[in-house]
Amino acid sequence: MSELMTQLQETTAYIQSKVKTTAKVGIVLGSGLGNLAEVIKVEYAIPYTEIPHFPVSTVKGHGGKLLFGELGGTKVVVMSGRFHFYEGYEPAQVVFPVRVMKLLGIETLLLSNAAGGVNPNYKVGDLMILKDHISFFTINPLMGKNEEALGTRFPDMSEPYNQGLIDKAMAIAKANDIQIHQGVYTAVTGPTFETHAEYRLVKIVGSDVVGMSTVQETIAAVHCGMKVFAVSVVTDMGIREENNVITHEEVLQAAKAAEPKLTLLFTELAKLV
Ligand code: HPA
């Protein structure tokens, strides 16, 4: 067996030795979006530091725990805090927890993130469902020897974000009066926010938002056959030309303000998958 599969199995076995419930829905909470964890009836919480082979998150606003419990009556596994490429992890480390979720039996992955808007019709605090993504400004996590036990060498990416889940989420948003966009997320490495010219570039290539996460996780999840749904919270507008200083604090604050909408969306969607 490959080293990766051995590690994945050791991690999964460790978690299963601690946790006696199973779930089909996995959730990854983005920057400043950790409060969804507070409405979860937590049965088990395992700090990342205790999980074999898990990297440890270093960013402010990231809790760093794997939670098992119920969200609105649905069993879920939640990553409260994720791993980013800009923290110095290899892409394979960034997506390691996603693959662990797969081995734990997760079939549907719900991802959230904070992102900078480049679509002029968007404003701070808006939600955007990812309809598609552009991964070319970051590193593909499937580079290197393919792990056949997980998926194929050349995975199809014609529908990275499951259309059935998008339709359900749109219906939930409509029923609850939540205004929501659908658009394209472009992944960059970070950790710098973009320059004016870079925001213009990502807009020109067809993006609606830009962010430093999510896409590597989506690619790994699609590779191993999971259904993916992802939402961005627009935490800043990258295309403002003047006085456009963006701070991490501003991003966290905007994310916090949008959290109730996101929590509702994920709670209702988890019931329907
Ligand atoms: N750019 C990249 N990543 C981000 C941004 C941004 O403007 N806002 C939040 N995450």
Side-chain angles (χ1 to χ4, degrees):
M1 202 189 304
S2 70
E3 195 188 334
L4 173 61
M5 286 312 292
T6 304
Q7 288 190 352
L8 285 170
Q9 288 186 0
E10 283 172 5
T11 305
T12 306
Y14 172 83
I15 292 168
Q16 285 170 337
S17 76
K18 301 262 166 200
V19 174
K20 297 300 164 207
T21 59
T22 57
K24 294 201 173 0
V25 180
I27 297 176
V28 180
L29 299 176
S31 294
L33 300 169
N35 281 6
L36 182 133
E38 280 164 26
V39 301
I40 290 170
K41 228 166 81 195
V42 177
E43 292 163 25
Y44 303 91
I46 314 180
Y48 293 157
T49 46
E50 290 176 13
I51 304 176
H53 311 303
F54 250 49
V56 177
S57 186
T58 57
V59 185
K60 205 160 71 174
H62 292 263
K65 271 191 213 134
L66 197 59
L67 308 175
F68 294 79
E70 270 186 29
L71 177 64
T74 310
K75 295 273 185 199
V76 292
V77 181
V78 179
M79 279 185 76
S80 180
R82 60 149 58 93
F83 305 105
H84 300 86
F85 182 62
Y86 63 74
E87 291 176 85
Y89 305 116
E90 295 296 326
Q93 289 180 291
V94 171
V95 303
F96 186 82
V98 170
R99 290 170 162 165
V100 169
M101 284 203 194
K102 171 72 181 179
L103 268 66
L104 287 170
I106 297 299
E107 295 170 359
T108 301
L109 190 60
L110 311 182
L111 305 166
S112 64
N113 62 62
V118 295
N119 181 326
N121 298 321
Y122 291 8
K123 56 185 190 318
V124 169
D126 282 358
L127 298 186
M128 186 200 85
I129 294 173
L130 277 69
K131 178 90 179 152
D132 206 344
H133 71 224
I134 294 172
S135 73
F136 297 160
F137 302 117
T138 184
I139 307 294
N140 194 304
L142 304 185
M143 279 170 69
K145 188 177 170 300
N146 185 50
E147 190 57 70
E148 290 292 327
L150 293 174
T152 179
R153 171 74 287 186
F154 299 108
D156 173 63
M157 280 287 153
S158 59
E159 190 185 311
Y161 303 94
N162 182 269
Q163 189 59 47
L165 293 172
I166 294 174
D167 294 343
K168 284 176 181 155
M170 290 304 290
I172 292 164
K174 190 159 181 242
N176 290 280
D177 245 340
I178 296 173
Q179 202 225 329
I180 199 157
H181 307 287
Q182 290 186 41
V184 175
Y185 176 104
T186 288
V188 291
T189 63
T192 42
F193 291 115
E194 290 63 45
T195 63
H196 289 302
E198 287 165 345
Y199 279 121
R200 276 200 302 276
L201 171 72
V202 288
K203 177 167 179 266
I204 287 166
V205 297
S207 333
D208 297 292
V209 301
V210 53
M212 306 175 194
S213 68
T214 302
V215 163
Q216 290 174 325
E217 292 153 354
T218 296
I219 290 172
V222 171
H223 177 241
C224 65
M226 293 160 102
K227 283 192 207 167
V228 180
F229 174 82
V231 179
S232 292
V233 175
V234 178
T235 54
D236 49 273
M237 285 304 294
I239 47 171
R240 274 182 302 174
E241 283 291 329
E242 283 158 33
N243 302 325
N244 199 15
V245 177
I246 297 168
T247 64
H248 186 51
E249 284 64 33
E250 170 190 356
V251 166
L252 293 181
Q253 210 174 8
K256 202 166 178 48
E259 269 189 314
K261 292 189 283 185
L262 186 73
T263 298
L264 187 143
L265 189 65
F266 275 15
T267 306
E268 295 306 310
L269 193 56
K271 289 180 190 166
L272 300 179
V273 300

